[in-house]
Amino acid sequence: MSMTMTQKILAAHAGLDKVEAGQLILVSVDRVLGNDITSPVAIREFERIGAKEVYDKEKVTMVMDHFAPNKDIKAATQCKMCRDFCEKHEVTNFFDVGRMGIEHALLPEKGLVVAGDVVIGADSHTCTYGALGAFSTGVGSTDMACGMATGKAWFKVPSAIKFVLKGKLSKFVSGKDLILHIIGKIGVDGALYKSMEFVGEGVASLTVYDRLTVANMAIEAGAKNGIFEVDEQTEAYIKARTDRPFVSYKADEDAVYDETYEIDLSAITPTVAFPHLPENTRTFDEIGEVPIDQVVIGSCTNGHYKDLAEAAEIFKGRKIAKRVRAIVIPATQDIYLQAVENGLVKIFIEAGCVVSTPTCGPCLGGYMGILAKGERAVATTNRNFVGRMGHVESEVYLASPAVAAASAIAGKIASPWEVVK
Amino acid sequence: MKFTGKAIKYGDNVDTDVIIPARYLNTIDKKELASHCMEDIDKTFKDKVEAGDIMVAGNNFGCGSSREHAPIAIKESGISLVIARNFARIFYRNAINIGLAIVECDEAVDGISEGDKVEADLDNGVIYNRTTGKRFQTQPFPPFIQKIIANGGLVESIKNGEIV
């Protein structure tokens, strides 16, 4: 029987020639990731297992990003628990304040994930690394604990949905608009338990960063993973960051997919997800006047340098609306430094934005931009659930960095074309 | 495995942010997490939930974040079983891994109302609504997953040498 990209990676890591959808398998993992919120629960379970040491000091990875720099005493205690654990077990890939970034931007940047890898992470957006041709998926803390102890994880082999991309995105349209468009089409449970596999000539026109954004939000359609076919861009990205050999998998010609969608990238327009689900998408012909209080540009979804540059292009020489607070959060220290060196931070500050150290912070309503009752934010983040960024009666509108920047200037949800005339 | 309790019912897409809001994720204390369970969707939950109660919900239960704090908070609050049309996949595996019983059954979701007395026997896949007298049949879990649940969770399965 033929296999999808995802099934081939899983088979290789289970030591099997073939796997099929629905089969329960035990796979070896190339990386086990956790953050400052999920790792403490995993550490408690790891100790309950009674394991003396982690299965691999290099492959276990912890990033202090959610409530770090520590937002309060309890958060400080959780980070300390992770730090102490990593010291005790000599975990080499422990990323603390100053070295850290938002985990799913940091790991690709540091060359810690390559094509063909299996990565589990106690964070739902672990699916991001599918952009590099890896199988990566979010798991819970118990899975993380067992992964740290044994290097293994159980999986039910997923079936898949194929997205055949053609054409090229237009100006001011990015990977974010593409994935919001797809979620709007298939729904927040449209890919439940399944893989989303992205192929076709249109893939080449997407930067690696656009692909990271698309794969990052596969979970918002309920998917187990999102994965792109590896091409020259992927190879160049990986080789610039690590010498580790990688394997590029292609689906068999006759691989079976539950559904196939053809998507013309040139037909996608700026898209916004209205509260309180990522599937509530609208394009600008359906939006109307929506005044806003805050804009957040950052997160594991859209905190890359490319995202900041797209926002800066719109902010340059303009001022944000008086009633709006705009918070820009570079996803990693390297991105932050690049943004300083290339003058982006100057553009943001002159426009009236604040620029924060890397953190997940406001995306999950942690800190650094919590909303009051009745307030509205346009955010480049990934979820707009009830209470996600603060008060249960606040609202989050998900959008691209270009739309977020334009909205900050207009004081209402705005297309980049309304600002850049 | 047998369960008996009153039904507490919710709709579709109950996400982990409403099951346990992120502002409370600065602790791993199970009791403290349980004290905020469902807070952003149902402020009455913590007063009405009693040990053994059965949560009933629609599609995509537990969507969103991977936080295991969500099934932990539900389990610790006293809920013995969650019946839904289907579950978001990370929540599904987290529930199994920590030993929170869950089951998928469209007919039971349609046939159970808030407050109904419900019995479930997952060994034979039968759910019984004592209030209405209706009976529903579900698919049992595959043996691999039954083994994890029978061991009391993934950690116990590994300690017993049954998984790896």
Side-chain angles (χ1 to χ4, degrees):
Chain A
M1 209 182 120
S2 53
M3 292 191 282
T4 65
M5 273 189 273
T6 301
Q7 289 167 352
K8 285 188 178 180
I9 298 175
L10 288 173
H13 283 73
L16 300 169
D17 293 332
K18 294 244 174 266
V19 296
E20 56 185 272
Q23 190 178 346
L24 283 151
I25 54 170
L26 198 61
V27 305
S28 300
V29 297
D30 298 299
R31 192 157 300 282
V32 179
L33 169 70
N35 57 52
D36 51 309
I37 282 176
T38 57
S39 300
V41 177
I43 291 167
R44 180 169 72 193
E45 296 306 305
F46 181 88
E47 281 160 7
R48 229 158 54 76
I49 295 170
K52 294 273 178 293
E53 50 192 20
V54 297
Y55 88 107
D56 189 305
K57 290 170 179 164
E58 193 276 329
K59 292 178 177 172
V60 171
T61 305
M62 280 190 205
V63 185
M64 304 297 96
D65 58 0
H66 275 58
F67 292 165
N70 306 330
K71 86 177 180 94
D72 54 26
I73 295 169
K74 283 179 168 177
T77 308
Q78 298 211 123
C79 285
K80 185 170 186 301
M81 188 175 171
C82 299
R83 193 176 300 117
D84 291 348
F85 178 88
C86 289
E87 257 178 43
K88 179 179 168 191
H89 292 280
E90 298 166 342
V91 169
T92 52
N93 285 307
F94 173 67
F95 296 95
D96 210 338
V97 172
R99 291 180 60 221
M100 66 78 156
I102 298 175
E103 52 195 330
H104 309 307
L106 188 72
L107 267 59
E109 178 188 287
K110 297 289 180 199
L112 294 176
V113 181
V114 301
D117 276 356
V118 167
V119 179
I120 59 167
D123 187 279
S124 59
H125 294 107
T126 302
C127 53
T128 308
Y129 318 127
L132 304 180
F135 170 82
S136 62
T137 192
V139 296
S141 296
T142 297
D143 280 311
M144 181 191 172
C146 295
M148 290 199 296
T150 66
K152 299 254 174 22
W154 66 270
F155 287 111
K156 192 165 156 183
V157 176
S159 63
I161 302 177
K162 180 156 79 172
F163 295 87
V164 184
L165 310 182
K166 61 170 195 175
K168 195 170 172 292
L169 295 173
S170 314
K171 172 83 176 158
F172 293 135
V173 179
S174 69
K176 183 60 161 290
D177 301 292
L178 169 60
I179 189 63
L180 288 176
H181 169 80
I182 290 172
I183 297 166
K185 203 179 178 103
I186 69 172
V188 291
D189 56 359
L192 203 59
Y193 307 126
K194 297 178 183 180
S195 304
M196 295 168 78
E197 302 206 340
F198 298 91
V199 299
E201 43 101 0
V203 170
S205 76
L206 297 174
T207 66
V208 167
Y209 300 100
D210 285 309
R211 299 178 206 180
L212 286 164
T213 302
V214 171
N216 172 274
M217 286 189 71
I219 178 69
E220 310 315 333
K224 182 169 220 146
N225 67 311
I227 187 168
F228 279 81
E229 227 169 56
V230 171
D231 66 3
E232 286 167 9
Q233 274 196 75
T234 329
E235 289 179 4
Y237 179 94
I238 295 170
K239 284 179 184 163
R241 289 162 177 83
T242 179
D243 296 330
R244 193 151 64 89
F246 56 88
V247 189
S248 308
Y249 291 92
K250 269 192 179 7
D252 288 319
E253 291 277 330
D254 55 347
V256 178
Y257 288 89
D258 292 348
E259 287 168 278
T260 299
Y261 290 93
E262 282 200 13
I263 294 182
D264 178 3
L265 298 176
S266 63
I268 311 268
T269 58
T271 303
V272 178
F274 274 48
H276 289 284
L277 284 175
E279 70 183 19
N280 295 337
T281 54
R282 294 192 200 178
T283 46
F284 274 87
D285 50 326
E286 314 160 306
I287 288 179
E289 288 278 314
V290 184
I292 59 164
D293 305 281
Q294 179 167 295
V295 162
V296 174
I297 297 171
S299 84
C300 60
T301 311
N302 278 131
H304 295 110
Y305 184 82
K306 171 187 181 282
D307 300 315
L308 302 192
E310 284 170 2
E313 185 184 341
I314 289 167
F315 280 130
K316 191 168 188 181
R318 299 187 173 88
K319 297 271 183 207
I320 66 169
K322 213 171 178 184
R323 63 190 305 272
V324 172
R325 297 127 21 208
I327 302 161
V328 181
I329 311 177
T332 69
Q333 289 287 88
D334 279 2
I335 294 169
Y336 201 154
L337 187 57
Q338 242 185 303
V340 170
E341 287 175 348
N342 296 344
L344 268 56
V345 169
K346 186 167 186 283
I347 293 170
F348 295 139
I349 292 175
E350 285 177 353
C353 306
V354 292
V355 183
S356 156
T357 181
T359 180
C360 303
C363 171
L364 75 163
Y367 70 137
M368 286 296 297
I370 302 303
L371 299 172
K373 181 177 175 175
E375 287 193 323
R376 290 199 190 105
V378 172
T380 68
T381 56
N382 41 58
R383 290 193 178 122
N384 54 355
F385 298 154
V386 168
R388 175 74 178 178
M389 199 175 275
H391 196 277
V392 292
E393 289 175 45
S394 62
E395 296 180 343
V396 177
Y397 296 74
L398 304 175
S400 70
V403 168
S407 303
I409 288 161
K412 59 176 184 138
I413 300 178
S415 153
W417 292 114
E418 291 172 48
V419 172
V420 182
K421 284 173 184 140
Chain B
M1 295 165 86
K2 292 185 173 59
F3 308 88
T4 308
K6 71 169 186 298
I8 299 180
K9 200 164 176 187
Y10 299 104
D12 291 338
N13 300 314
V14 172
D15 63 75
T16 54
D17 276 282
V18 296
I19 296 172
I20 181 73
R23 59 185 178 275
Y24 302 121
L25 298 184
N26 54 5
T27 181
I28 60 172
D29 183 82
K30 294 179 182 180
K31 293 235 161 352
E32 198 176 336
L33 291 169
S35 74
H36 299 294
C37 189
M38 310 309 284
E39 187 176 292
D40 282 0
I41 190 177
D42 178 8
K43 291 221 181 328
T44 69
F45 174 78
K46 77 173 176 222
D47 297 322
K48 70 184 173 197
V49 67
E50 294 169 292
D53 281 353
I54 293 172
M55 197 178 273
V56 181
N59 283 312
N60 204 22
F61 185 87
C63 61
S65 144
S66 70
R67 62 190 70 159
E68 205 161 289
H69 313 66
I72 290 172
I74 290 173
K75 189 181 178 193
E76 194 67 21
S77 71
I79 294 289
S80 63
L81 170 69
V82 185
I83 304 171
R85 291 188 199 281
N86 52 55
F87 293 88
R89 59 157 288 275
I90 307 179
F91 185 93
Y92 181 93
R93 64 185 296 133
N94 284 349
I96 290 163
N97 285 344
I98 69 157
L100 169 66
I102 57 171
V103 65
E104 298 182 338
C105 183
D106 278 332
E107 293 75 21
V109 172
D110 290 331
I112 297 173
S113 305
E114 173 85 17
D116 286 356
K117 287 281 179 203
V118 177
E119 289 173 15
D121 182 346
L122 294 193
D123 297 329
N124 57 24
V126 172
I127 300 169
Y128 176 60
N129 186 337
R130 222 196 291 169
T131 307
T132 63
K134 279 190 228 157
R135 198 174 288 273
F136 316 99
Q137 184 69 46
T138 69
Q139 290 292 322
F141 279 126
F144 179 90
I145 291 175
Q146 277 186 25
K147 201 160 73 176
I148 295 176
I149 295 171
N151 276 313
L154 189 61
V155 166
E156 283 70 19
S157 300
I158 287 178
K159 282 164 90 169
N160 295 347
E162 293 205 22
I163 292 291
V164 183

